[in-house]
Amino acid sequence: MLKKKLLVLIIIFSINTFSQQNKHPVAVGLNYGFGSEIKNSDYTYTNNYYKLQFNYTLSKTKNFEYQILLQPEINFATHQLKNLYFVKPDELDYLVKREQYTKLKDIKEYVLGVGFLIRKPISKSLSFYVLGSVGPMITDTQTERLTKGFAFSDVLSLGMSFKTQKLIFDIRPSLRHNSNAGLQSSNAGFNTKNIEFGIAFPLKN
């Protein structure tokens, strides 16, 4: 009898805990963005990307909401070295590399971003936020600035969201840095300014 009462209490506690957690909604969406290199004399880089977004609200206070995001992304980029002297004569086969790297290249990047977001609601519909994310990335093309293979993508964003009864619309300017943290030989990386647009829907409790 005591075991049954204990089991009932555990079930009630679990249901109550789950219902409390469900007060923090999950939203699922799709973002599209594009951008280009931050102005420089060494290279060109343009990109456009598609990003799935899974957003979970950790907590809310009177003035702010705190959220975590999971963002699988595929990025389609074009890149060309403009300053051939970026490849120095002390590099092996530097003349061959200069010829290779100054050609226009198509690059695919596969990213899994993990972000933390602080949101400031202005009204029931409108909110502003700051978002920082970092995640592992695989790039499929060797360049003078970044070795093919494993790297990281770091993003800092400011954004605005407009929420309707069923959907959330989003606009998000951002700064992005790709590098491999010195894990491979070429690590100058790419720095870009981007803007993305998104649509999401909250899952029901």
Side-chain angles (χ1 to χ4, degrees):
M1 187 68 178
L2 181 61
K3 289 182 178 180
K4 288 184 178 180
K5 288 182 179 180
L6 185 60
L7 180 60
V8 170
L9 287 174
I10 291 172
I11 292 172
I12 292 172
F13 177 79
S14 299
I15 292 173
N16 183 62
T17 301
F18 181 76
S19 65
Q20 290 293 321
Q21 290 175 343
N22 263 357
K23 291 180 181 178
H24 306 308
V26 173
V28 178
L30 176 66
N31 286 25
Y32 171 75
F34 57 90
S36 62
E37 79 282 353
I38 296 174
K39 191 173 181 181
N40 68 88
S41 59
D42 287 331
Y43 67 94
T44 64
Y45 180 99
T46 61
N47 63 311
N48 65 91
Y49 54 93
Y50 297 90
K51 180 187 296 182
L52 291 174
Q53 183 162 282
F54 302 92
N55 186 323
Y56 179 72
T57 301
L58 292 170
S59 64
K60 298 180 181 181
T61 65
K62 183 178 179 181
N63 296 311
F64 295 98
E65 298 178 9
Y66 302 93
Q67 302 172 336
I68 55 173
L69 292 85
L70 187 66
Q71 301 172 305
E73 172 189 333
I74 181 168
N75 195 327
F76 302 93
T78 60
H79 163 64
Q80 187 172 22
L81 175 65
K82 294 196 298 183
N83 177 13
L84 59 86
Y85 296 104
F86 186 88
V87 182
K88 296 179 173 55
D90 58 358
E91 293 190 34
L92 183 65
D93 298 326
Y94 77 96
L95 291 176
V96 174
K97 288 181 178 178
R98 282 179 177 178
E99 183 180 358
Q100 176 188 353
Y101 291 149
T102 50
K103 294 178 180 178
L104 185 66
K105 292 179 174 58
D106 293 320
I107 305 171
K108 291 187 181 70
E109 299 166 349
Y110 306 91
V111 187
L112 181 59
V114 179
F116 180 72
L117 182 151
I118 301 175
R119 185 183 300 277
K120 171 64 176 174
I122 305 301
S123 67
K124 287 185 178 180
S125 300
L126 182 66
S127 65
F128 294 91
Y129 62 85
V130 59
L131 166 64
S133 69
V134 62
M137 178 181 83
I138 300 295
T139 177
D140 72 347
T141 303
Q142 176 78 26
T143 72
E144 81 288 350
R145 302 188 65 84
L146 197 61
T147 302
K148 177 181 177 180
F150 185 77
F152 296 96
S153 179
D154 307 324
V155 182
L156 179 63
S157 309
L158 297 175
M160 179 179 71
S161 296
F162 184 80
K163 186 176 182 180
T164 66
Q165 192 170 9
K166 294 184 178 181
L167 295 172
I168 303 168
F169 298 93
D170 208 65
I171 182 169
R172 182 184 301 171
S174 65
L175 296 175
R176 182 177 187 245
H177 172 70
N178 293 346
S179 64
N180 57 42
L183 298 177
Q184 301 191 66
S185 56
S186 299
N187 189 40
F190 296 102
N191 298 302
T192 57
K193 56 186 185 299
N194 302 279
I195 187 165
E196 62 186 78
F197 303 90
I199 185 169
F201 63 94
L203 300 183
K204 296 181 180 180
N205 290 339

